Amino acid sequence: MFDFSYSSIDEMIELLARNINPFSGLKFKAREEKQVTEMMSIIYAAVNDEELYFDPVTAFIPTLDIGIIIKKSTSIQPFAKKIAGAIAHALKKYSEYFSQDIIQFSFCRFLVENGLIELRDNPYIENQQSYFATTLGENCGLQNKTTKTKKTKRHTLLYSAYMQVYLLRKFPDIFLPAIKAEFKKNHETLENYIEPLTVEEQELIVSYRCLDENGKKYLSDTMASLFNGFTGGKQKKIS
């Protein structure tokens, strides 16, 4: 039986994402997800005297059309495991190109190369290094979190929903050779599908979505005027 006093929210969400009722351990149907989720939230709040909000969202990997359930915050291990499982399901086989370890390593290497994380000595474990978010990484949706128990402290690098979506959008770029090998994607077609958005461009998109309708219209009109000024009135359409 699921112990609401000691189990984490992440454990609950992982079970619910697999259509398993944490309380009973039994499978439930997809159409029952809302009801079961609400029930878990009420029970958790009653046991722990605090509110709990679930907000699972599905984001898709470009070119592969594979949906990944993202959460408000997670660490790299369960995120990579979720992607590896989704790809294995899509391929109907295990792929060494897309194992949890390979995905996790590739994401970390990509983030290091872009100055978002760095490898440092872990202050809580002797002779061990861990990944920490840089200042740039913290500004882009990464969080250095320290958890404390009665005897120990632990460092965890958390990935916000924004950072999870960013990595999924960059997935075809990071795993181009593997996608070509496993999914038999044409190189030229695949290159055209990769969305070359930088972190700064992603932040602009998020800022735009936070504007009200008047703000969006003003910004769109301003950008159209600027673009037409540079191109002589020939604005490129985005399909």
Side-chain angles (χ1 to χ4, degrees), residues 93-142:
K93 67 174 184 177
Y94 169 81
S95 168
E96 62 179 12
Y97 292 107
F98 298 110
S99 68
Q100 176 184 343
D101 290 341
I102 292 295
I103 292 174
Q104 185 174 326
F105 171 78
S106 299
F107 277 162
C108 289
R109 182 176 60 184
F110 171 78
L111 293 171
V112 167
E113 291 174 350
N114 286 274
L116 297 171
I117 65 174
E118 60 186 3
L119 201 56
R120 305 180 197 163
D121 290 334
N122 191 313
Y124 311 120
I125 304 178
E126 188 176 357
N127 299 322
Q128 180 172 316
Q129 291 187 313
S130 299
Y131 286 109
F132 286 77
T134 62
T135 300
L136 175 62
E138 289 180 323
N139 290 333
C140 295
L142 294 168

Side-chain angles (χ1 to χ4, degrees), residues 73 132-133 137-138 141-146 155-160:
S73 181
F132 286 77
E138 289 180 323
L142 294 168
Q143 179 189 3
N144 293 314
K145 183 178 180 180
T146 299
H155 162 73
T156 305
L157 178 59
L158 295 179
Y159 292 64
S160 68

Side-chain angles (χ1 to χ4, degrees), residues 4-237:
F4 288 90
S5 299
Y6 297 99
S7 301
S8 69
I9 294 175
D10 285 349
E11 289 175 305
M12 291 181 64
I13 294 179
E14 182 182 1
L15 289 170
L16 289 169
R18 293 190 284 124
N19 288 3
I20 296 176
N21 186 323
F23 186 71
S24 65
L26 300 176
K27 279 273 194 178
F28 60 85
K29 297 180 181 179
R31 66 172 180 269
E32 299 170 335
E33 179 180 357
K34 181 178 179 181
Q35 180 181 1
V36 175
T37 298
E38 289 179 351
M39 180 177 67
M40 292 302 104
S41 180
I42 292 170
I43 294 174
Y44 187 94
V47 172
N48 296 278
D49 194 28
E50 62 180 82
E51 293 297 326
L52 176 64
Y53 299 97
F54 297 110
D55 53 352
V57 175
T58 300
F60 288 86
I61 300 176
T63 79
L64 302 184
D65 197 30
I66 294 176
I68 306 295
I69 295 178
I70 61 172
K71 298 185 295 184
K72 183 177 181 180
S73 181
T74 188
S75 59
I76 188 66
Q77 291 91 344
F79 184 50
K81 181 179 180 180
K82 193 178 299 182
I83 296 172
I87 292 178
H89 179 74
L91 290 172
K92 295 180 173 57
K93 67 174 184 177
Y94 169 81
S95 168
E96 62 179 12
Y97 292 107
F98 298 110
S99 68
Q100 176 184 343
D101 290 341
I102 292 295
I103 292 174
Q104 185 174 326
F105 171 78
S106 299
F107 277 162
C108 289
R109 182 176 60 184
F110 171 78
L111 293 171
V112 167
E113 291 174 350
N114 286 274
L116 297 171
I117 65 174
E118 60 186 3
L119 201 56
R120 305 180 197 163
D121 290 334
N122 191 313
Y124 311 120
I125 304 178
E126 188 176 357
N127 299 322
Q128 180 172 316
Q129 291 187 313
S130 299
Y131 286 109
F132 286 77
T134 62
T135 300
L136 175 62
E138 289 180 323
N139 290 333
C140 295
L142 294 168
Q143 179 189 3
N144 293 314
K145 183 178 180 180
T146 299
T147 53
K148 302 177 182 179
T149 64
K150 292 182 179 179
K151 296 183 179 180
T152 62
K153 290 184 180 181
R154 180 182 178 185
H155 162 73
T156 305
L157 178 59
L158 295 179
Y159 292 64
S160 68
Y162 168 78
M163 180 53 68
Q164 293 168 58
V165 172
Y166 173 69
L167 288 173
L168 291 178
R169 292 169 75 97
K170 297 296 292 184
F171 194 92
D173 197 1
I174 299 171
F175 293 91
L176 179 59
I179 291 175
K180 288 165 56 182
E182 285 286 25
F183 288 88
K184 313 302 181 185
K185 293 283 187 179
N186 175 271
H187 180 272
E188 181 179 357
T189 301
L190 187 57
E191 288 280 8
N192 290 338
Y193 268 105
I194 293 174
E195 192 168 3
L197 294 180
T198 65
V199 172
E200 291 77 12
E201 289 169 332
Q202 292 271 350
E203 289 178 329
L204 286 173
I205 293 173
V206 172
S207 297
Y208 175 81
R209 290 174 177 171
C210 291
L211 296 173
D212 59 22
E213 290 305 315
N214 290 332
K216 289 179 180 179
K217 184 178 186 308
Y218 176 78
L219 182 58
S220 297
D221 292 344
T222 301
M223 291 182 67
S225 298
L226 288 171
F227 191 89
N228 290 334
F230 284 120
T231 61
K234 297 180 180 179
Q235 185 170 356
K236 182 181 179 181
K237 297 295 183 181

